[in-house]
Amino acid sequence: MTYADERVAAEMGRVLLALYRAGMQVRVWPDALKGRAGARIVAGPSANRRRTALKPVTGSGDSPLQAIYAAVERMNERAGAIVVRLD
C-alpha cells in the first residue's frame, strides 16, 4: 500500500466515523461498468428520533471517498449549511 492509499483510507475512516457518530448510515457501492462509485446517506435509528427528518441523499464519484463527499455536500446544501473551504 502506498502512502497516498494510506492517506485516502485514513480520511475515509474519519468521514465514516463522523457520520456514524452523527447517527447516519452510509451505504457505498461500486459501479464496475462505469468505473465509478456511489454513496447513499440515510438517517440511522438514533437520528430518526429527532424532530427534523433527514431525507436520504446520494452522491457519486470516481472513488468511494469522492462519492461520500458528494453526498455530504448535497446533504449540507439541503440543510442550508454554509460551508467554507479551507484549501
Side-chain angles (χ1 to χ4, degrees):
M1 181 179 270
T2 64
Y3 177 73
D5 293 337
E6 289 178 13
R7 293 288 308 237
V8 169
E11 185 69 22
M12 192 163 182
R14 281 193 287 270
V15 169
L16 290 174
L17 187 60
L19 288 169
Y20 174 76
R21 286 181 179 166
M24 307 294 170
Q25 292 180 351
V26 180
R27 297 181 179 120
V28 181
W29 63 90
D31 186 359
L33 296 175
K34 296 180 183 176
R36 297 180 58 85
R40 180 179 172 115
I41 300 174
V42 296
S46 63
N48 284 337
R49 289 181 276 219
R50 297 180 186 169
R51 290 184 201 154
T52 59
L54 173 74
K55 294 182 180 179
V57 292
T58 58
S60 62
D62 292 334
S63 69
L65 184 60
Q66 287 179 346
I68 293 170
Y69 274 176
V72 169
E73 285 182 12
R74 194 166 184 191
M75 183 172 43
N76 287 338
E77 288 173 3
R78 280 190 184 173
I82 299 172
V83 179
V84 179
R85 294 185 185 217
L86 301 174
D87 290 329

